Amino acid sequence: MLKTLFRRRDASFAAEAAGPGHTYAYKASLIGAAHRYELTDEGLLWRTGRRSGVWAYADIAAIRLSYRPMGMQHRRFRADIDHADGRHITIFSTSKQTVALMEPQSGYSAFILELHRRLAAAGSLAKLSSGLRPGIYTMIVAALAFVGLAMTALLLRALLTGEFAGVVFIIGFSVFFGWQISGFIRRNKPRNYAFDSVPQELLP
């Protein structure tokens, strides 16, 4: 039955991938097969190459949304979906175009919102969380605090020794680094949410 469903949809999937939330596809690598997903009455259908499956909405145990910028792509988001039996699906909002370039994919936000709507309609008890896992988030914040202390010590030393060029460099670097990392820290703060309040800052 699953093969029949995918065979019937394969011919039109590329056109539907930008549709109103029911289908989505992206490429995680240049040489790998595309990851394809569809929301149906049967559940979440997925296909990667020759592997495929369908997850009933009642069997989806958890969803975690996060912000994952990489390289020059600052609008990159991630959804981690866990099955009750321990299986895991990761969906990104970008497709790999070249070794260094990732292209945003239209339809990611609509697909994630539609998935939440269908889960709610099915009476799902899935755990909904956003941001990084608490342990990872704490380690990142601690590391940033250490970097901040080190930069402060360097700034004080440069001031005391009259190295004004170093002062300008340290201040400039700190401002740029803080601007770059602040969005990541703010968006990825661990928290839970409800089906009707999906965090908009974690959608493109």
Side-chain angles (χ1 to χ4, degrees), residues 41-132:
D41 293 340
E42 295 87 0
L44 170 61
L45 274 68
W46 60 269
R47 181 173 185 178
T48 304
R50 295 182 179 180
R51 298 184 297 111
S52 60
V54 57
W55 289 7
Y57 296 119
D59 292 334
I60 294 178
I63 296 178
R64 179 179 293 276
L65 303 179
S66 58
Y67 173 55
R68 299 299 181 92
M70 178 177 287
M72 298 300 293
Q73 182 50 257
H74 299 296
R75 300 289 295 172
R76 184 171 180 261
F77 299 86
R78 169 173 168 168
D80 292 286
I81 305 173
D82 294 329
H83 193 278
D85 65 7
R87 286 181 290 169
H88 181 83
I89 285 176
T90 298
I91 303 177
F92 285 102
S93 66
T94 58
S95 271
K96 198 76 170 179
Q97 297 296 313
T98 67
V99 174
L101 178 64
M102 284 174 285
E103 183 76 13
Q105 291 293 98
S106 62
Y108 175 84
S109 296
F111 182 83
I112 294 300
L113 291 172
E114 178 64 15
L115 172 60
H116 282 75
R117 188 192 70 78
R118 289 181 178 243
L119 286 170
S124 171
L125 298 177
K127 179 182 178 182
L128 306 178
S129 54
S130 62
L132 300 175

Side-chain angles (χ1 to χ4, degrees), residues 5-197:
L5 285 171
F6 274 115
R7 190 179 301 115
R8 187 167 64 244
R9 294 179 172 95
D10 271 351
S12 60
F13 196 96
E16 292 176 352
H22 293 84
T23 60
Y24 181 72
Y26 80 97
K27 290 198 68 175
S29 64
L30 292 178
I31 60 175
H35 297 256
R36 301 180 175 187
Y37 306 94
E38 183 171 356
L39 301 174
T40 70
D41 293 340
E42 295 87 0
L44 170 61
L45 274 68
W46 60 269
R47 181 173 185 178
T48 304
R50 295 182 179 180
R51 298 184 297 111
S52 60
V54 57
W55 289 7
Y57 296 119
D59 292 334
I60 294 178
I63 296 178
R64 179 179 293 276
L65 303 179
S66 58
Y67 173 55
R68 299 299 181 92
M70 178 177 287
M72 298 300 293
Q73 182 50 257
H74 299 296
R75 300 289 295 172
R76 184 171 180 261
F77 299 86
R78 169 173 168 168
D80 292 286
I81 305 173
D82 294 329
H83 193 278
D85 65 7
R87 286 181 290 169
H88 181 83
I89 285 176
T90 298
I91 303 177
F92 285 102
S93 66
T94 58
S95 271
K96 198 76 170 179
Q97 297 296 313
T98 67
V99 174
L101 178 64
M102 284 174 285
E103 183 76 13
Q105 291 293 98
S106 62
Y108 175 84
S109 296
F111 182 83
I112 294 300
L113 291 172
E114 178 64 15
L115 172 60
H116 282 75
R117 188 192 70 78
R118 289 181 178 243
L119 286 170
S124 171
L125 298 177
K127 179 182 178 182
L128 306 178
S129 54
S130 62
L132 300 175
R133 297 187 184 279
I136 296 175
Y137 185 83
T138 300
M139 287 190 294
I140 291 176
V141 171
L144 290 174
F146 178 79
V147 171
L149 290 173
M151 294 299 291
T152 301
L154 288 174
L155 177 61
L156 291 175
R157 180 178 179 182
L159 287 170
L160 292 173
T161 57
E163 296 289 342
F164 297 110
V167 170
V168 172
F169 173 79
I170 293 172
I171 292 176
F173 178 81
S174 299
V175 170
F176 177 76
F177 181 77
W179 174 71
Q180 289 286 322
I181 202 67
S182 61
F184 179 86
I185 294 298
R186 175 178 54 81
R187 292 174 191 254
N188 282 320
K189 183 178 180 180
R191 55 193 181 275
N192 297 324
Y193 64 93
F195 286 109
D196 59 353
S197 60

